């Protein structure tokens, strides 16, 4: 839906990247998500991913979340329009919080948050995911990363610089550093899939 099609009073937000990446992400999720259970999405943003995935997996429940009230309003507005029975109302959740307002999940998704948030958010994400997920439960991350054995793409270097200029606490993370946090939280080694536009799908499973 073009931006002009939303009036100024419509709480629904549009994230152009969602239109481009949702199908490649969905292809990976079809190999990752359980057949049944609850999927918690961290940093749901506009809510467009949650709608798309909930429609694709009708046997799974989806719990979107975000710390931003405007994002929560957008998520719920998109959800109301979709009328999907397996999509729960959005909850306010800050990945850095010592306690999350949810006690269990069978899978966790986090798309394009790690590089646009303080490192403490990634620390909180891995710590809490390690507590919430059952054995074998997947934590799915998507976004651009640095890898010690892979040259950084020019577009990602420019993107990283722009992020750090906007906020010194943001920026592309070393995948090895994220993996180390995951190990400490009880996860096994990551399954890494190259994605369009120099992004990665990174799947950790609870040991």
């Amino acid at each position: 839906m073009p931006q002009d099609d939303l009036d100024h009073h419509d709480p629904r937000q549009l994230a152009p990247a969602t239109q481009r990446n949702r199908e490649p992400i969905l292809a990976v999720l079809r190999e990752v998500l359980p057949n049944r259970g609850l999927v918690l999405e961290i940093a749901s943003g506009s809510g467009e991913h949650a709608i798309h995935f909930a429609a694709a997996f009708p046997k799974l429940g989806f719990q979107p979340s975000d710390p931003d009230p405007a994002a929560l309003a957008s998520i719920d507005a998109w959800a109301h329009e979709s009328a999907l029975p397996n999509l729960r109302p959005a909850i306010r959740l800050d990945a850095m919080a010592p306690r999350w307002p949810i006690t269990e999940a069978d899978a966790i998704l986090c798309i394009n948050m790690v590089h646009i948030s303080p490192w403490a958010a990634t620390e909180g994400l891995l710590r809490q995911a390690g507590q919430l997920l059952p054995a074998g439960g997947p934590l799915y991350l998507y976004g651009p990363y640095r890898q010690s054995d892979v040259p950084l793409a020019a577009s990602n270097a420019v993107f990283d610089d722009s992020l750090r200029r906007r906020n010194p606490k943001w920026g592309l993370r070393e995948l090895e550093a994220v993996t180390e946090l995951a190990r400490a939280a009880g996860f096994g080694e990551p399954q890494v899939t190259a994605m369009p536009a120099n992004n990665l799908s990174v799947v950790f499973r609870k040991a």
Side-chain angles (χ1 to χ4, degrees), residues 56-87:
F57 298 98
K59 293 182 180 180
L60 286 170
F62 280 81
Q63 176 61 76
S65 72
D66 205 276
D68 179 26
L72 297 176
S74 176
I75 296 164
D76 284 339
W78 281 114
H80 178 75
E81 181 185 67
S82 72
L84 290 165
N86 60 327
L87 187 62

Side-chain angles (χ1 to χ4, degrees), residues 10-203:
D10 191 330
R12 292 175 299 168
Q13 300 176 359
L14 291 168
T18 303
Q19 302 296 321
R20 297 191 297 268
N21 64 32
R22 65 186 186 181
E23 288 301 329
I25 292 174
L26 180 59
V28 176
L29 293 181
R30 290 192 188 281
E31 305 298 323
V32 170
L33 294 182
N35 293 324
R36 296 183 181 276
L38 179 65
V39 180
L40 169 64
E41 185 183 23
I42 302 299
S44 298
S46 68
E48 295 166 277
H49 277 136
I51 300 297
H52 192 66
F53 302 150
F57 298 98
K59 293 182 180 180
L60 286 170
F62 280 81
Q63 176 61 76
S65 72
D66 205 276
D68 179 26
L72 297 176
S74 176
I75 296 164
D76 284 339
W78 281 114
H80 178 75
E81 181 185 67
S82 72
L84 290 165
N86 60 327
L87 187 62
R88 296 185 176 187
I91 57 174
R92 188 166 187 172
L93 187 156
D94 185 339
M96 294 185 287
R99 292 186 180 180
W100 286 4
I102 185 168
T103 58
E104 60 183 2
D106 298 288
I108 296 177
L109 311 180
C110 185
I111 298 169
N112 284 333
M113 181 202 83
V114 171
H115 57 286
I116 314 180
S117 61
W119 180 241
T122 300
E123 292 176 324
L125 170 66
L126 270 297
R127 181 177 61 252
Q128 297 286 355
Q131 296 174 9
L132 285 176
L133 290 173
L139 168 62
Y140 174 87
L141 308 180
Y142 173 90
Y145 289 86
R146 294 177 176 271
Q147 294 173 279
S148 61
D149 56 345
V150 179
L152 186 65
S155 60
N156 277 356
V158 171
F159 184 42
D160 182 51
D161 182 65
S162 69
L163 289 173
R164 295 179 188 278
R165 288 176 183 272
R166 288 168 60 190
N167 189 325
K169 294 183 178 180
W170 294 1
L172 273 63
R173 309 302 182 186
E174 297 282 351
L175 183 56
E176 291 78 9
V178 177
T179 299
E180 187 175 335
L181 283 181
R183 287 195 198 105
F187 290 92
E189 295 303 297
Q191 173 190 344
V192 181
T193 304
M195 303 291 280
N198 298 308
N199 289 297
L200 298 176
S201 282
V202 182
V203 180

